[in-house]
Amino acid sequence: MVIHLNKSVGKEQAEELGRKYESICFNDGTRYVLVTTSKVKEADATLKAAAEATFVTDTDIQLAGKQYMNDTRSIDFGVVSIGGANNNTLVITGPCSVESEEQIEQASALCLELGVKVLRAGAYKPRTSPYTFQGLGLEGLKLLDKMRTKHGLKIITEVRDSTHVDEVIEYADIIQVGAKAMYDQGILRKCGKSNKPILIKRGFGSTLQEFVQSAEFVLSSGNPNVMLCERGIRTFETKTRFTLDLCGVAWLKQYTNLPVILDPSHAIGYAYGVADLSRACIAMGIDGLLIETHPNPKVAKSDAEQQLNFEQFRALYKSMGAVASAVGRKIV
Ligand code: PEP
Ligand code: MN
């Protein structure tokens, strides 16, 4: 159960109630909020007296659920926002990894040319093998920071593990929690202490319940700015890298209040299918798309096969508006 305490309830009293009802207690900027396990279905007299509103939830998808908040949360990136009352579909693009200043300058130039406002690129890469390119680390973050200052782009980059979570939170405008880090509660809780937007990617072996519950760790630590990213799950199929779970996306839209971003690049794993998948995703009425592009995918240091070259991305970008407007949305 989620309990909105009366605005007159101060920190000390809220924390005391939190302890008494074995619940998480945080301030949402307007009031103190308690969250008990979802097994609690009724407030007793003491809680009722202190509460302004209570929300009963079926499962531990609580703060992220429609039973708590019916509208999709609005996430503001400064230059543009998604969710809430608008019907924006945000396009995010850039290479899998920051590889050099020249490469990330080229990626920035593509964004500026098309009017894409958010540049993506990993500095700390969660590679499957320790022997492949692991990312430029702090040097990569500094290059992204340079692109932000020089070109006014917003930057999204990923946290791989706890060793650099503070650094990424400091440098990024949007913090990406990668598929392999989705279960890392240390990272999630730290992201919950920031107020920057957090994009959580679905672990490729995670159920929707587990996926959304990872968002609950961030939300219940006090950060309301959480987005979910479907990036493909592992199935029996081996011809494609993963399987993009569009049924899951429909479920997320139906039952959660979090904006949903889709990543067709990691899902299929091959550039040939990214444009078709992107348009299919837009047609589902989603809040954003994350697409990998590289000035020369053949020599990319990570995810070479799935990155679009700039010509391919330009053509895809041009085709997006018509699909978006067919479903009442706008590409931003
Ligand atoms: C990425 O976005 O480059 C990435 C590594 O994604 P994922 O965590 O979904 O594998
Ligand atoms: Mn990648």
Side-chain angles (χ1 to χ4, degrees):
M1 181 187 281
V2 182
I3 301 132
H4 279 185
L5 295 176
N6 289 321
K7 294 188 189 74
S8 57
V9 175
K11 189 169 192 276
E12 215 170 290
Q13 195 193 346
E15 285 174 356
E16 200 183 303
L17 286 166
R19 278 189 295 277
K20 180 164 179 214
Y21 293 96
E22 296 177 355
S23 58
I24 288 184
C25 173
F26 68 96
N27 192 302
D28 73 359
T30 306
R31 62 180 78 76
Y32 282 94
V33 178
L34 303 184
V35 190
T36 68
T37 157
S38 54
K39 291 188 183 116
V40 176
K41 304 291 183 196
E42 222 182 293
D44 66 12
T46 315
L47 262 186
K48 269 189 190 140
E52 184 182 84
T54 55
F55 306 85
V56 176
T57 59
D58 291 336
T59 74
D60 275 356
I61 293 177
Q62 301 209 73
L63 297 166
K66 283 267 203 284
Q67 288 169 312
Y68 174 58
M69 194 186 281
N70 198 42
D71 296 332
T72 305
R73 287 166 187 264
S74 170
I75 313 271
D76 187 5
F77 304 105
V79 285
V80 73
S81 64
I82 58 168
N86 74 49
N87 281 318
N88 289 341
T89 298
L90 177 73
V91 176
I92 302 169
T93 196
C96 180
S97 306
V98 191
E99 296 171 4
S100 66
E101 182 158 354
E102 188 194 357
Q103 175 241 23
I104 204 67
E105 275 287 10
Q106 289 172 310
S108 303
L110 179 70
C111 290
L112 295 175
E113 172 195 324
L114 299 175
V116 170
K117 296 172 184 68
V118 185
L119 171 69
R120 66 140 284 142
Y124 292 94
K125 295 305 300 178
R127 304 307 301 282
T128 307
S129 165
Y131 308 118
T132 53
F133 180 62
Q134 303 293 299
L136 295 180
L138 183 57
E139 187 192 338
L141 288 184
K142 289 186 174 161
L143 287 173
L144 288 172
D145 189 38
K146 196 166 173 181
M147 296 307 107
R148 174 195 10 239
T149 317
K150 206 166 153 187
H151 304 299
L153 293 165
K154 298 288 172 185
I155 301 299
I156 174 166
T157 192
E158 65 206 87
V159 182
R160 180 183 63 212
D161 59 58
S162 60
T163 59
H164 52 263
V165 55
D166 296 318
E167 252 170 43
V168 172
I169 290 175
E170 183 189 331
Y171 280 91
D173 298 300
I174 306 166
I175 295 113
Q176 176 174 321
V177 178
K180 291 172 187 141
M182 188 206 94
Y183 285 107
D184 189 322
Q185 298 178 4
I187 291 174
L188 296 171
R189 286 179 204 275
K190 278 220 161 156
C191 289
K193 293 295 166 212
S194 162
N195 60 5
K196 289 189 176 177
I198 312 295
L199 179 102
I200 305 177
K201 295 188 108 186
R202 181 180 183 182
F204 46 74
S206 307
T207 63
L208 293 165
Q209 182 78 27
E210 290 163 340
F211 182 26
V212 184
Q213 280 183 188
S214 72
E216 293 283 337
F217 279 94
V218 180
L219 296 166
S220 65
S221 301
N223 186 346
N225 303 307
V226 181
M227 298 165 281
L228 298 173
C229 179
E230 163 60 33
R231 45 76 73 211
I233 53 173
R234 180 152 286 158
T235 65
F236 54 80
E237 186 53 70
T238 56
K239 296 289 188 208
T240 56
R241 191 178 182 191
F242 295 99
T243 298
L244 188 62
D245 184 13
L246 294 185
C247 296
V249 171
W251 187 90
L252 295 171
K253 285 180 60 185
Q254 180 72 11
Y255 291 104
T256 81
N257 58 45
L258 303 178
V260 180
I261 310 291
L262 271 86
D263 171 356
S265 302
H266 288 86
I268 187 164
Y270 300 98
Y272 72 83
V274 170
D276 283 347
L277 279 174
S278 299
R279 288 183 287 263
C281 293
I282 295 168
M284 285 202 68
I286 50 153
D287 301 288
L289 267 181
L290 191 152
I291 299 168
E292 284 193 345
T293 47
H294 192 285
N296 185 1
K298 282 192 201 74
V299 301
K301 293 189 170 171
S302 58
D303 287 348
E305 288 186 275
Q306 71 196 32
Q307 302 196 59
L308 299 185
N309 65 34
F310 290 2
E311 268 324 296
Q312 291 167 324
F313 184 74
R314 283 188 191 101
L316 165 60
Y317 193 78
K318 218 170 131 190
S319 73
M320 287 179 179
V323 185
S325 67
V327 293
R329 300 191 75 92
K330 187 170 164 245
I331 299 294
V332 295

